[in-house]
Amino acid sequence: MELKRVVVTGLGVISPIGNDVATTWENAKNGVSGAGPITHFDASKFKTQFACEVKNFDGNEHFDRKKLRQLDLYAQYAIVAARQAVADAGIDAENAVDKNRVGVIVAAGIGGLHTFEEEAGYYALNHENGPKYNPFFIPKMIADIASGHISMEYGFHGPNFGTVSACASSNNAIIDAFNLIRLGKADAILAGGAEAAIYPAGVGGFNSMHALSTRNDSPETASRPFSKSRDGFVMGEGSAVLVLEELEHAKARGAKIYAEVAGGGLSADAYHLTATHPEGLGAILAMRNALDDAGMKPEDIDYINVHGTSTPVGDISEVKAIVEVFGDQAHKLNISSTKSMTGHLLGATGALEAVFSVKAVEEDIVPPTINHDPEDQDENIDYSLNFTFDRAQKRPVRAALSNSFGFGGHNATVIVKKYEDK
């Protein structure tokens, strides 16, 4: 069977550097850091006391009191980002789409961690009248529930689930949506991710693994991918949702088309619980699989939005993988880690970086990797590559590749390209 073409027709974002797509993208282009002291809880006794939190978000402005009782913060972010994407795509109007053929796949690497922390603690188990739990405990916590809430809000009856593959989760969601649409199983799918894990269990858990930066004296410069002094990632939170749509369906509606989804690649490191393969073997396979799926060659890619978390091992292995896959083309690419600005949104990070990749393709602008000091060089990294340090770069971006890698060795790569009516 002939596979259908899939395009992006709507975008929505709640992020540490903006609560809509326009603000987030403008701040990304300008190298604005979203990091600062943690406000969600008292982190004064934690090794890491800062994060990239969402700012100026009040659930009371988006949900009534009854609804708010049902929603963990991660789901609130997801629903608001989905509302933006739906409105942007124009599929919220009556009779605009067949709602039986519109799906929702919104990922989370962790899900309702705050709800779990609040409800499953000592008090619940030791209440004077026996164990006591909120009846919303389970449906607030589970990692698939954001997709359910979004489908119920709009009456979308198409494919509906959440993907969980740690930090690769929302790239998995995008790839699943892409495949379902091109196989003719849906006309459009809201695909993305959401996360809100900046709470004691999240920060303390990652601290115990020595995964987070502890640069408490300078939070805004702590996420420094590809710099020798990098000491771990900065936790972020938020949500990004993209509307993926079958091309002819989008054209029939007169929808705006941002970019075309060209392909997706998946792989496993099969190596370690938390560390990437030191030679980037899984990353190599995911990128090659994505290129093969898209029917593209390395020289067709102009920009890579790297996983680039600012961890000592991960950054090196990803650079090795890029050089192995792209060969001479690696030196003609722009590479950047937008996590230097947004922090690491865990299960939502792939979706946010997919939005950045779409915008890069749309506007021919590559957002920067900030916080690099030319004196802070790692002898294991090839600085002849263009990491787009410090400033955005204007250049033709025919296609962008975005990597996401997760604990458990999960690797997912998405490619988007300029839409051409042919």
Side-chain angles (χ1 to χ4, degrees):
M1 63 176 290
E2 184 177 352
L3 295 176
K4 299 178 183 295
R5 294 171 66 185
V6 180
V7 293
V8 179
T9 58
L11 303 171
V13 166
I14 298 291
S15 85
I17 57 173
N19 291 344
D20 55 55
V21 174
T23 305
T24 297
W25 178 235
E26 193 64 25
N27 283 332
K29 289 187 293 183
N30 289 324
V32 175
S33 171
I38 290 171
T39 65
H40 289 337
F41 69 96
D42 180 3
S44 59
K45 295 182 180 179
F46 286 72
K47 293 178 182 177
T48 296
Q49 299 167 12
F50 62 94
C52 287
E53 294 180 334
V54 169
K55 287 86 172 167
N56 303 314
F57 182 93
D58 182 353
N60 292 289
E61 296 177 359
H62 301 282
F63 307 99
D64 62 36
R65 186 176 178 181
K66 180 179 178 182
K67 184 70 173 179
L68 208 53
R69 290 181 63 235
Q70 303 174 23
L71 299 173
D72 185 89
L73 184 58
Y74 101 92
Q76 295 176 42
Y77 291 157
I79 295 167
V80 176
R83 288 173 178 172
Q84 294 176 17
V86 167
D88 188 34
I91 60 172
D92 55 343
E94 203 64 34
N95 300 320
V97 293
D98 178 355
K99 293 185 177 183
N100 289 334
R101 292 186 55 81
V102 179
V104 184
I105 308 174
V106 174
I110 296 176
L113 184 64
H114 187 218
T115 295
F116 184 85
E117 199 170 58
E118 282 190 322
E119 298 289 347
Y122 178 87
Y123 176 77
L125 291 172
N126 295 278
H127 190 269
E128 61 183 6
N129 295 321
K132 184 178 179 64
Y133 291 88
N134 187 318
F136 291 119
F137 168 42
I138 297 299
K140 281 179 72 175
M141 176 197 71
I142 52 180
D144 68 302
I145 204 66
S147 290
H149 279 293
I150 294 164
S151 69
M152 286 183 275
E153 179 160 323
Y154 291 100
F156 293 152
H157 294 283
N160 187 277
F161 54 94
T163 53
V164 179
S165 52
C167 304
S169 296
S170 51
N171 261 10
N172 272 115
I174 292 167
I175 292 169
D176 280 358
F178 170 60
N179 284 328
L180 286 166
I181 295 169
R182 66 176 173 170
L183 288 171
K185 306 298 184 182
D187 294 331
I189 296 178
L190 280 65
E195 207 79 89
I198 305 173
Y199 289 101
V203 175
F206 281 115
N207 268 158
S208 71
M209 299 169 59
H210 306 288
L212 297 180
S213 172
T214 56
R215 200 177 294 274
N216 294 310
D217 59 340
S218 184
E220 68 280 359
T221 68
S223 183
R224 47 181 66 194
F226 313 116
S227 294
K228 186 174 183 178
S229 62
R230 65 193 183 279
D231 67 332
F233 74 83
V234 176
M235 193 181 298
E237 63 175 356
S239 178
V241 175
L242 301 84
V243 176
L244 272 56
E245 189 169 353
E246 192 272 320
L247 173 60
E248 297 305 321
H249 186 269
K251 288 167 66 175
R253 294 195 306 110
K256 175 181 178 178
I257 296 174
Y258 284 98
E260 182 169 358
V261 183
L266 303 170
S267 73
D269 279 356
Y271 170 72
H272 189 274
L273 279 176
T274 58
T276 57
H277 190 284
E279 299 303 317
L281 297 187
I284 291 168
L285 184 58
M287 287 189 280
R288 284 180 171 161
N289 286 344
L291 288 166
D292 287 346
D293 189 45
M296 300 174 77
K297 299 177 181 178
E299 54 266 32
D300 296 323
I301 304 297
D302 293 313
Y303 168 48
I304 298 179
N305 188 299
V306 291
H307 189 56
T309 57
S310 189
T311 57
V313 176
D315 288 6
I316 293 171
S317 64
E318 188 170 10
V319 171
K320 287 181 179 179
I322 289 169
V323 171
E324 176 64 26
V325 172
F326 286 88
D328 292 341
Q329 177 66 11
H331 292 87
K332 301 174 184 178
L333 295 164
N334 273 74
I335 297 165
S336 73
S337 172
T338 46
K339 288 185 181 71
S340 59
M341 297 171 281
T342 67
H344 189 355
L345 276 66
L346 308 177
T349 204
L352 180 57
E353 289 158 12
V355 170
F356 289 147
S357 299
V358 166
K359 294 297 290 182
V361 165
E362 181 194 22
E363 296 187 7
D364 290 318
I365 296 176
V366 175
T369 304
I370 66 169
N371 298 329
H372 182 71
D373 181 344
E375 301 296 318
D376 191 15
Q377 303 278 15
D378 185 332
E379 60 275 12
N380 297 300
I381 290 176
D382 180 0
Y383 290 101
S384 65
L385 299 174
N386 184 356
F387 290 101
T388 323
F389 285 131
D390 301 323
R391 294 182 181 177
Q393 184 174 331
K394 184 78 175 174
R395 64 159 293 167
V397 182
R398 299 164 299 163
L401 179 150
S402 180
N403 283 329
S404 287
F405 312 137
F407 285 178
H410 313 301
N411 306 301
T413 297
V414 171
I415 298 175
V416 295
K417 66 181 181 180
K418 284 193 185 297
Y419 165 66
E420 297 179 3
D421 188 7
K422 58 181 181 181

